[in-house]
Amino acid sequence: MRILLASSEVHPFSKTGGLADMAGALGKTLARAGHEARLVTPLYPRVREQFPEIRRVDWRFDLPLGARRVQAELWALEAEPGLTAYFIDQPEFYQRGALYQENGASYADNDARFIFFAKCVAHLARYLPWRPEVVHVHDWQAALVPALLRQQQRAEEWWRPPRTCLTIHNLAYQGIFPQASFALTNLPPEFFTMETAEFYGHLNCLKAGIALADVITTVSPRYAREIMTEEFGCGLDGLLRRRQGRLVGILNGVDYDFWDPARDPFLPCAYSAGRLDGKTACKLALQKELGLPVTNAMPLFATISRLAEQKGVDIQLGALEEMLSADLQFVLLGSGAPAFEAGYLGLARRFPSQVAVRVGHDEGLAHRIEGGSDFYLMPSRFEPSGLNQMYSLRYGVIPIVRATGGLDDSVTDFTEDAARANGIKFYEYSSRALAKGIRKALALYAQPELLRRCRRNAMKLDFSWERAVGEYLKAYEKA
Ligand code: ADP
Ligand code: GLC
């Protein structure tokens, strides 16, 4: 099948979160399975420096964006044998300090930046000599593509236009802008109605995609059910219920090329389920790196995360406050809302021999933390899929998760299946419930035999992308 994937971030070229990991891995796995997959993404700073093999393509965009016309160039590289990645080069929009926001504030022209991106994707789908059968768009930044394709099809003869698939990675981000931004789409007014892009008088990019895509996927079966409820639906549950015949939940996979402790170049010591002594060496090296007391006598808990409401920062800070009187260490790697960063930094100041906090984005450290920790805390309020709990499982780091979305779908608690347990789940969204989970972890750490079994269960799980790709192919067929 010929599939054009469009995402505002793609690992290893750009990344703020799991969307990048997912888009990169999906493209790669489709190509390895013999499909013709191509990726489109914006050209951000440093990509050209880091990937010198990237080449300019003989192609120019000159597209309307409201009243003006905007030009862009196209670059490409072979990301993987059989997988071409295209980069939209529009320096005014994409050569910035970050992808979407700086100092907690979104860029004021994100409407123009990503409406333009969606237009470039639709343009490529229409005019590339290579004709995609499916255009698979991700999140609000590309969600206007189905509307743009539909309009293009109406405006001119287009024999067999591609089908569209929209993946919702996070319903909390919808790309909502003032009504005036709709003019930037240059779409006729019938696309700004209650059935399409209009949302309480505003433009809602994701809503247009949900309304018009041929199939809609989200990143876990449980989250697919959750978003059809008022509690998780972020105002779009009614529309999602109407489209439920077209909605499917597919749990994300793990790219074991990057996340495997047996061959992870970031780790000081390789290990696997059968050779766990390497894990202890990783832990001691990590403690040293973080300036924590070097010891295996107490467990090391970890979190690597965007610091946003979604991730349960408030209950985590509360639970740690309560639990730091016990013998445990905690490391956080993350960045996000300044108030949340300050909360963790405050904890590190007050408990310097137990808590280490690193603010920022650091891929190597993320791997070393997975390699060296014993337990992984993920107390999310909601979690469409979540990747770090699955990385943790492979690294033998027991996840402690709130039973929501993909966390519930990927972790098995002792109460669900004692023989196959690989993690600890809690249900209520409260510091108390999380603290109880941490207490269970301390008890588990005190029983080495049980801990070893739980680790083995975790490490032998297989969330490889081949399974998920099979499900995406079914969704494409359906489209
Ligand atoms: P989300 O996409 O909601 O942020 P996921 O669990 O799906 O959550 O994916 C997060 C991804 O981003 C993981 O690959 C994680 O390791 C990575 N990540 C998050 N914060 C950091 C950070 N500060 N440094 C390095 N990697 C990070
Ligand atoms: C979103 C979600 C996360 C998911 C990721 C990749 O960022 O918050 O749960 O794993 O997308 O699909």
Side-chain angles (χ1 to χ4, degrees), residues 435-453:
K436 197 168 159 194
I438 295 176
R439 257 181 244 116
K440 286 185 184 169
L442 294 175
L444 181 59
Y445 197 72
Q447 302 171 71
E449 207 29 66
L450 193 57
L451 177 65
R452 202 166 305 130
R453 198 172 79 211

Side-chain angles (χ1 to χ4, degrees), residues 64-66 68 70 92-94 96 99-100 106-119 140-144 148 174-186 202-205:
L65 189 68
R68 62 192 271 224
V70 176
E92 178 198 335
F93 286 157
Y94 308 128
R96 304 235 175 137
L99 269 53
Y100 316 119
S106 295
Y107 292 128
D109 60 349
N110 274 348
D111 50 353
R113 297 174 74 222
F114 292 105
I115 290 171
F116 183 73
F117 173 58
K119 288 190 170 196
W140 74 263
Q141 291 91 339
L144 283 171
L148 294 164
Q174 299 178 3
I176 298 177
F177 300 101
Q179 170 166 6
S181 303
F182 179 71
L184 297 174
T185 66
N186 302 88
H202 284 64
L203 164 65
N204 184 325
C205 300

Side-chain angles (χ1 to χ4, degrees), residues 212-277:
L212 298 173
D214 294 308
V215 290
I216 306 152
T217 74
T218 187
V219 286
S220 70
R222 176 159 170 173
Y223 191 62
R225 297 192 296 276
E226 288 174 343
I227 57 178
M228 287 189 280
T229 67
E230 210 183 316
E231 187 187 351
F232 292 95
C234 304
L236 295 179
D237 45 295
L239 174 62
L240 285 159
R241 282 195 298 277
R242 280 200 295 286
R243 299 228 62 203
Q244 65 178 293
R246 300 260 126 199
L247 171 67
V248 39
I250 304 173
L251 186 67
N252 279 334
V254 173
D255 188 340
Y256 291 120
D257 288 350
F258 290 112
W259 294 98
D260 179 359
R263 52 192 173 108
D264 183 335
F266 291 111
L267 295 189
C269 219
Y271 66 89
S272 60
R275 288 182 296 135
L276 269 174
D277 43 326

